[in-house]
Amino acid sequence: MRIKKYDFIKLLLAFTAVVSMASLPANWQNVTGHMLRLSFIETLSWIEPFILSLIALFIGHHKQCFMAEYRSLSYYLKIFITFFSLSLFYLSLNATIVTSLFSVQKLTTIVSYVYQPSNLLFSLFWLLMLAPVLLRLFEQLNDNVKKYLSIILLVLGTLTTLIIFYFNRYLHIIDYTWFIWLLLVMVMGSTDYLQRDNRDSVSQHVYQILSLVVTFLILIGLFLGRYFSLKYHFAMPQVFNLHPFGLLNLILIFLFNRSFKLSHTNLTGSQLINKFIMPFIVIFIFGNMWQEISRDWWMRIAKLQQVMTLPTNTAISWFIFRIILTFIFLMVVAYVWQKAFNAIDLRNWNSGWINAILVAIVIPSSFFILQLSNVSFRFASLQKMDRFWIYLVNILILLTLYLVILALVNRYYISLGLYSLAMAIISFANYQKVILRNEPIVPLDVKNIVILPELIKMADITTQQILIGVIGLLFIIGLFILLQHILGAKKAFSLPIRFIFIVFAALNLGFWINFLPKLAVQWSTDNTSHTVSTNPIMVKLHYININLIQPQAHYNNNGSALGFLSMVKVEIMDKPSEYSEATMNQIATKYEKSAAQINDSRSRNISDQTVVYVLSESLANPSRIPGVTLEKDPLPYITKLQNESGGLLDSLGYGGGTANIEFETLTSLSMNNFSSSLSIPYSSLVPKVNFLPTIMQDFKQKNAIHPYTGLTYQRNDAFKKLGFQNFYTLTNGTKTIKYQNKLGNSPYVNDRSSFDEVLELLKQTKQGQFIQLSTMQNHTPFLSSYYNKNWPIKDNLTTASEASLNAYTVGINYTDNEVKDFIQKINQMKRPITIVFYGDHLPGIYNWKDDNSAKLKAYDNILHQSDYFIYSNFDSKKISKKVASPNMLTPLMLEKTNSKVSPYYALLTQLAKKTPAVERDKYMGTDGNYLNEEKLTKEQKQILKDYELVQYDVSAGKNYLSDKTFYKTK
């Protein structure tokens, strides 16, 4: 027999199989619209059992090929690997580019065909697995026995089915008859006497034509029957459909069995499966994946539900076009799998086709795990929007990274192993950062590799765990090298091909790195421009513009790979349309007059006083959190000072963002005005500019204290550039802190030691000075082992959150006591001292037992409200800004101390007095709730516009104001 005679029939049947998969009733559940169309579409699903029966018949016709595989272990392994690899591939696609509606139950789909009889794949899988054994056993029987046994079994099966349908009971048993039916068809196909080999070629062609004509007529009859049954409201008997043991199926199989003779070929059974049955395996696994995996494709990607509402002609073309596209995709998959298994048959382990299968599974899976790490591996928190194209771009970017590794290593298995290890490490590190800081890894974190030991300590990873991890990594790398050696796989590509890979990767990554920042959100007053990019291609890809200051949402929506690349190239700030030298001169004149008016009523110079800024790590009263009830206030003293002269601080961070909030308080520049790609000003802005306004510039002595390493966020370099004379730290500062005591079992220097360090500096001089203190006592993690004390709490948080909250509350209560003691010592000093005290952000520990994602969204404003107060040890004005943003603290301090201002701080004074707090492009009113931008007055908008222009001029513009007296106090 010439094998090629089946090729056209194979493609035709494969296409009808795809149509049948799309038409399965399970894919159309809850779809509304033109119900007559739906009935016709579901009728097409009746083709499926017929094609499966033909596969069984094909196996029977080639019994000699399959019987030869009787004792071949490789045959059985190939069947299992084929089903497993395809199921895993489809699952990885579903979890990434199709939908993120992932569940642990979906994992069962990669093996459910082994044990779930009601799954059609069960029948196909075990048919292929048992074919060599059953055909060999059946071959041992006497011809008469085979004849009567097959007839009896077919008749009994058909009668049983008729009885079940007639009484309309035990219908679920029909699901279990697939396997039996396919086995009988296979046996029937292997039986010589049923085929009458002595008939001539004319009669053979007659039977073939008759089979095709009857098949066509039966399908037409099915559609007509469906139409009239719907039109005249009568039930169409199920015994006449193409169900296993259905009469129509029985007739077709007998006709096709008589149309083709037993075949003889030199191919083995596994080679026949690979050449002829593989496309159907690819299609049927794709169409019968459980847990709605198949339905996700047809409804979310192909969007076949639109067929129910479109005009008839459009609906038909819509349906056919998407079927064709899916068919092409599945044929490509089949081609790759066929080539790979051909390579396996030839023991060609260095084949790129085998690698292609592994890459097709590993790359999407690694992206899915990376996305999960952004949401602390909470499946329910994954992005569920239409992300097909934008996530596909992410997968292509990860594929580019793999190609770089492959080009460098030039060994398939070692390269894939190194890529997998790299992604596992990145995902773990990303998960740890999300847990600690509530934000994923960003490009600037690469610079923090120099403080890896401190980062590991923050993540509460022990030396033993590190040692085990390193040994594990080395062991796994060794395994990949050993596997490469055992398989005898050689170099993958020649040098020119490797060079092409490197060039392609550079062009691809370079394009996104340079292109994406241009899509950054422009924080103008036009909210409608913030939702999506105006670039038409990115609109088609569903790229969403999101504030990158909080990159977690950006990564979730647009993908981790694309999100990371979008932040590599930093754009400082978008140029305001009104920016010009003339405009800046007008602003300078305007606020010089304002400064003169303010200074007429003020008598002090801030340079003659002592000012201490205290950034209290993660301090925010937990009693404001909905669902949390404390028996007593953990911050009674701080709350008292807050009520006298303070309020709530609108923080841009939740669980992180310390450096940016510190930057805002020191410079009075707002992160809200900067480009969203500028995530850390200390690293991305300060090194590039010659001047930035700061509260320190009027002081002769200015020192900073941070009881940890000075390398985080490149503070050591940034503080030197900003004008600090000394930076007191544990390590990597200009000087080492003197007081290093810790509280309980906490690894961090306690607040008492930090305040003692401030007092030590205050004792060194009686002249005016500025001190910046950033504490560490209440830094994450918050472990119950830190303190031998509990705080009575009632809440509806998760167990882990409650444990963290308990330790955190005990810690901030210690802070409250130390603040009280510190203020008492300040009061004893005989010179004017002012304390600006604020919590930088809330700890990222709040997770509710029920509806956590919804509550995080509903309580967004509360989760960005920390505490602040301004205290002076001398008679001073009481100021009250119920809700302030960090850039407002300095003008509030100047007002409280009755200190004169520069034109710059005159602008900031207007900003603090007349405009609401603003962070993350959200305005927060005095009641702590968000304000609609439309409620801003014309005066407020003008002040905000002036402020934006000044910030652009000093950070990214031409510095028109820097050479003037705009930043100097007269």
Side-chain angles (χ1 to χ4, degrees):
M1 183 194 90
R2 296 180 64 184
I3 296 296
K4 290 185 178 180
K5 68 181 291 185
Y6 282 119
D7 286 348
F8 174 74
I9 297 176
K10 179 182 68 176
L11 286 175
L12 181 62
L13 290 175
F15 182 78
T16 58
V18 175
V19 174
S20 180
M21 292 298 95
S23 306
L24 290 174
N27 293 331
W28 297 85
Q29 292 177 356
N30 303 320
V31 174
T32 59
H34 202 299
M35 300 314 295
L36 182 60
R37 293 180 187 176
L38 180 59
S39 298
F40 283 152
I41 290 172
E42 290 183 348
T43 302
L44 292 170
S45 67
W46 293 347
I47 302 172
E48 180 183 28
F50 172 58
I51 295 176
L52 282 171
S53 300
L54 288 181
I55 292 174
L57 199 64
F58 177 86
I59 295 172
H61 281 184
H62 297 83
K63 63 179 181 179
Q64 296 299 331
C65 303
F66 286 91
M67 286 192 298
E69 302 280 11
Y70 174 56
R71 294 185 177 179
S72 175
L73 178 61
S74 64
Y75 169 85
Y76 303 105
L77 286 176
K78 287 174 190 174
I79 298 299
F80 178 77
I81 293 172
T82 299
F83 274 74
F84 183 81
S85 60
L86 282 167
S87 300
L88 194 58
F89 171 62
Y90 292 142
L91 178 63
S92 65
L93 287 185
N94 178 267
T96 51
I97 62 174
V98 177
T99 175
S100 295
L101 291 171
F102 189 81
S103 64
V104 177
Q105 288 78 10
K106 281 188 176 182
L107 285 174
T108 62
T109 59
I110 62 177
V111 290
S112 62
Y113 49 82
V114 176
Y115 61 85
Q116 198 64 261
S118 55
N119 187 347
L120 274 177
L121 295 179
F122 172 89
S123 302
L124 182 58
F125 174 76
W126 285 110
L127 171 71
L128 296 173
M129 290 289 279
L130 298 179
V133 177
L134 292 177
L135 287 173
R136 186 176 178 85
L137 289 174
F138 198 77
E139 192 67 15
Q140 307 301 319
L141 299 177
N142 181 277
D143 286 343
N144 287 328
V145 174
K146 286 190 279 187
K147 172 182 177 180
Y148 292 116
L149 180 61
S150 59
I151 292 175
I152 290 170
L153 289 175
L154 284 172
V155 171
L156 284 176
T158 302
L159 288 174
T160 303
T161 305
L162 289 171
I163 292 170
I164 289 172
F165 280 131
Y166 180 79
F167 290 103
N168 202 31
R169 296 178 64 183
Y170 309 109
L171 293 177
H172 64 279
I173 295 177
I174 300 300
D175 293 331
Y176 297 85
T177 60
W178 281 102
F179 182 48
I180 300 172
W181 166 259
L182 294 177
L183 291 179
L184 290 174
V185 172
M186 179 186 69
V187 171
M188 182 176 67
S190 70
T191 306
D192 296 317
Y193 74 90
L194 287 173
Q195 295 194 328
R196 297 186 180 180
D197 288 338
N198 58 348
R199 62 179 180 266
D200 56 30
S201 60
V202 175
S203 117
Q204 178 79 16
H205 287 303
V206 169
Y207 269 107
Q208 291 177 356
I209 294 171
L210 181 61
S211 299
L212 294 175
V213 170
V214 171
T215 302
F216 179 75
L217 291 176
I218 286 176
L219 291 176
I220 294 298
L222 289 173
F223 279 107
L224 290 175
R226 194 73 164 176
Y227 172 76
F228 287 113
S229 67
L230 289 170
K231 183 175 181 178
Y232 297 107
H233 307 289
F234 66 82
M236 186 175 178
Q238 295 193 57
V239 293
F240 293 109
N241 66 25
L242 292 180
H243 206 282
F245 293 120
L247 293 181
L248 299 180
N249 200 8
L250 201 61
I251 293 169
L252 287 175
I253 292 305
F254 268 114
L255 283 172
F256 271 82
N257 188 50
R258 294 178 67 86
S259 301
F260 301 95
K261 295 181 180 181
L262 286 173
S263 303
H264 303 282
T265 177
N266 293 326
L267 297 179
T268 65
S270 61
Q271 288 172 336
L272 275 174
I273 290 174
N274 192 39
K275 186 170 181 62
F276 293 106
I277 303 179
M278 180 66 79
F280 299 99
I281 296 175
V282 168
I283 292 167
F284 285 126
I285 292 178
F286 177 82
N288 288 282
M289 292 285 281
W290 283 23
Q291 303 295 334
E292 295 192 342
I293 294 178
S294 299
R295 185 177 189 272
D296 286 338
W297 176 272
W298 296 114
M299 297 298 129
R300 291 177 177 270
I301 304 303
K303 301 186 184 301
L304 290 187
Q305 68 272 23
Q306 305 239 14
V307 172
M308 296 295 102
T309 55
L310 292 171
T312 303
N313 291 337
T314 307
I316 293 172
S317 60
W318 181 280
F319 184 80
I320 293 176
F321 180 67
R322 277 149 182 78
I323 293 295
I324 291 174
L325 288 180
T326 303
F327 172 72
I328 293 171
F329 163 68
L330 293 176
M331 288 303 97
V332 170
V333 173
Y335 182 79
V336 173
W337 256 253
Q338 285 175 320
K339 287 291 186 180
F341 279 87
N342 279 337
I344 292 174
D345 284 335
L346 297 173
R347 300 294 190 270
N348 179 17
W349 303 110
N350 204 47
S351 169
W353 297 108
I354 298 175
N355 183 66
I357 287 182
L358 296 174
V359 168
I361 295 172
V362 170
I363 302 294
S365 299
S366 66
F367 174 67
F368 175 67
I369 293 171
L370 192 57
Q371 287 299 100
L372 269 179
S373 70
N374 289 327
V375 292
S376 305
F377 289 90
R378 295 191 298 267
F379 292 113
S381 299
L382 284 173
Q383 179 56 250
K384 302 175 181 63
M385 298 171 63
D386 184 5
R387 305 281 84 206
F388 177 81
W389 293 111
I390 202 68
Y391 279 5
L392 186 59
V393 171
N394 279 265
I395 291 174
L396 293 176
I397 290 172
L398 294 182
L399 177 61
T400 301
L401 296 179
Y402 166 71
L403 291 178
V404 170
I405 297 174
L406 180 59
L408 296 174
V409 178
N410 206 24
R411 298 293 190 280
Y412 282 130
Y413 300 104
I414 297 176
S415 298
L416 194 60
L418 291 175
Y419 169 84
S420 301
L421 280 177
M423 294 307 298
I425 293 170
I426 291 171
S427 297
F428 176 76
N430 197 57
Y431 165 72
Q432 290 295 327
K433 191 182 179 191
V434 168
I435 291 293
L436 295 173
R437 301 280 308 281
N438 205 48
E439 69 176 23
I441 291 174
V442 298
L444 289 171
D445 289 327
V446 177
K447 296 181 180 179
N448 286 334
I449 196 72
V450 296
I451 57 165
L452 186 60
E454 287 82 0
L455 296 176
I456 291 173
K457 188 184 297 184
M458 283 185 181
D460 194 36
I461 301 173
T462 64
T463 304
Q464 183 180 7
Q465 289 172 328
I466 296 171
L467 185 61
I468 292 173
V470 172
I471 293 173
L473 288 176
L474 293 175
F475 177 74
I476 294 171
I477 293 173
L479 282 180
F480 283 118
I481 295 174
L482 181 62
L483 176 64
Q484 185 86 31
H485 178 73
I486 291 174
L487 295 177
K490 301 178 181 179
K491 294 181 179 179
F493 299 105
S494 63
L495 188 60
I497 299 297
R498 295 164 65 188
F499 179 74
I500 290 173
F501 282 168
I502 296 292
V503 172
F504 167 74
L507 292 175
N508 186 23
L509 298 179
F511 168 78
W512 292 113
I513 288 171
N514 286 280
F515 174 64
L516 288 170
K518 297 176 182 177
L519 303 175
V521 180
Q522 297 183 8
W523 302 121
S524 64
T525 56
D526 182 11
N527 276 332
T528 58
S529 67
H530 301 172
T531 54
V532 295
S533 164
T534 55
N535 183 283
I537 296 177
M538 300 306 287
V539 170
K540 291 290 184 181
L541 292 177
H542 296 137
Y543 180 88
I544 299 176
N545 259 336
I546 295 175
N547 188 344
L548 305 190
I549 294 172
Q550 287 280 286
Q552 189 175 27
H554 176 45
Y555 280 34
N556 289 346
N557 282 277
N558 297 318
S560 300
L562 209 58
F564 185 88
L565 293 182
S566 72
M567 301 176 73
V568 171
K569 183 179 179 182
V570 176
E571 299 285 340
I572 294 176
M573 192 171 171
D574 299 308
K575 181 180 179 180
S577 58
E578 301 91 342
Y579 181 70
S580 67
E581 184 174 9
T583 301
M584 300 315 298
N585 288 335
Q586 292 174 2
I587 289 176
T589 302
K590 177 180 179 180
Y591 290 102
E592 283 172 0
K593 294 179 180 178
S594 178
Q597 292 175 351
I598 293 172
N599 293 338
D600 283 344
S601 61
R602 297 188 182 181
S603 58
R604 295 176 180 269
N605 291 316
I606 195 63
S607 58
D608 298 329
Q609 306 173 49
T610 296
V611 176
V612 181
Y613 276 28
V614 179
L615 182 157
S616 186
E617 175 62 41
S618 301
L619 188 135
N621 201 323
S623 62
R624 289 193 296 271
I625 304 300
V628 174
T629 303
L630 307 177
E631 289 190 4
K632 53 182 179 179
D633 187 357
L635 301 173
Y637 186 73
I638 290 175
T639 302
K640 173 178 174 293
L641 297 180
Q642 186 180 7
N643 291 333
E644 291 175 358
S645 192
L648 299 177
L649 190 72
D650 179 12
S651 170
L652 64 86
Y654 170 63
T658 298
N660 293 346
I661 298 157
E662 182 183 74
F663 174 84
E664 287 182 306
T665 58
L666 293 176
T667 64
S668 294
L669 300 174
S670 175
M671 292 298 298
N672 198 67
N673 285 333
F674 287 127
S675 168
S676 53
S677 63
L678 192 150
S679 57
I680 309 290
Y682 284 159
S683 303
S684 303
L685 174 64
V686 174
K688 297 179 181 180
V689 296
N690 294 322
F691 168 79
L692 285 175
T694 66
I695 179 58
M696 301 93 71
Q697 64 192 43
D698 287 334
F699 292 90
K700 292 182 179 180
Q701 294 193 36
K702 39 225 174 184
N703 298 290
I705 303 168
H706 181 49
Y708 205 58
T709 177
L711 294 177
T712 49
Y713 311 110
Q714 294 182 267
R715 268 197 185 101
N716 54 346
D717 294 330
F719 278 7
K720 183 178 180 180
K721 185 77 175 285
L722 291 175
F724 283 108
Q725 293 154 335
N726 287 298
F727 186 21
Y728 294 81
T729 64
L730 276 175
T731 60
N732 302 108
T734 59
K735 291 187 178 182
T736 303
I737 58 173
K738 179 179 180 181
Y739 302 96
Q740 302 181 14
N741 295 325
K742 299 173 183 178
L743 188 62
N745 297 317
S746 171
Y748 303 120
V749 173
N750 63 30
D751 284 348
R752 171 174 289 186
S753 292
S754 297
F755 290 138
D756 285 344
E757 201 73 33
V758 173
L759 294 171
E760 185 74 16
L761 288 177
L762 292 177
K763 292 175 184 177
Q764 292 177 7
T765 179
K766 293 184 179 180
Q767 296 179 354
Q769 65 172 315
F770 179 86
I771 300 173
Q772 163 66 38
L773 167 65
S774 300
T775 70
M776 280 297 294
Q777 176 183 293
N778 298 312
H779 199 286
T780 186
F782 307 101
L783 304 181
S784 55
S785 59
Y786 282 178
Y787 315 117
N788 296 319
K789 183 179 179 181
N790 289 314
W791 197 271
I793 299 174
K794 294 180 180 179
D795 59 75
N796 58 358
L797 303 177
T798 63
T799 302
S801 288
E802 184 175 342
S804 296
L805 178 59
N806 193 296
Y808 168 75
T809 307
V810 172
I812 62 173
N813 180 247
Y814 280 121
T815 296
D816 188 76
N817 294 329
E818 296 306 328
V819 169
K820 183 177 182 180
D821 182 67
F822 177 60
I823 295 292
Q824 288 174 350
K825 292 176 181 177
I826 292 295
N827 287 336
Q828 295 171 8
M829 296 185 176
K830 304 298 183 181
R831 61 181 185 274
I833 301 174
T834 298
I835 309 296
V836 177
F837 181 98
Y838 64 96
D840 55 346
H841 55 75
L842 276 75
I845 59 176
Y846 297 106
N847 291 298
W848 285 263
K849 293 178 181 177
D850 303 312
D851 300 323
N852 183 63
S853 296
K855 287 178 179 176
L856 286 172
K857 184 176 181 180
Y859 307 147
D860 180 76
N861 60 322
I862 299 173
L863 294 175
H864 287 86
Q865 294 170 357
S866 59
D867 303 277
Y868 86 92
F869 69 79
I870 303 175
Y871 176 83
S872 297
N873 67 346
F874 57 93
D875 289 338
S876 59
K877 181 180 179 181
K878 287 188 177 182
I879 59 100
S880 178
K881 176 80 173 174
K882 291 184 178 180
V883 179
S885 45
N887 60 328
M888 297 177 177
L889 293 183
T890 294
L892 291 174
M893 180 273 295
L894 293 172
E895 181 182 3
K896 180 174 178 61
T897 58
N898 197 31
S899 298
K900 296 182 178 182
V901 299
S902 64
Y904 175 64
Y905 283 114
L907 166 60
L908 266 297
T909 300
Q910 295 292 323
L911 189 80
K913 278 188 173 184
K914 297 182 179 181
T915 68
V918 57
E919 291 286 8
R920 302 172 299 123
D921 203 38
K922 296 179 180 180
Y923 297 91
M924 190 175 289
T926 55
D927 59 356
N929 293 317
Y930 291 131
L931 287 174
N932 191 314
E933 191 176 10
E934 295 176 355
K935 293 185 178 181
L936 295 179
T937 66
K938 184 177 180 181
E939 182 186 19
Q940 289 174 322
K941 290 181 179 180
Q942 186 58 54
I943 293 172
L944 290 168
K945 177 55 66 177
D946 291 345
Y947 178 53
E948 180 188 16
L949 287 163
V950 169
Q951 183 164 331
Y952 177 79
D953 181 66
V954 76
S955 62
K958 296 184 177 181
N959 290 287
Y960 292 125
L961 301 180
S962 297
D963 296 333
K964 303 180 185 297
T965 58
F966 188 77
Y967 298 104
K968 296 179 181 179
T969 304
K970 294 182 179 179

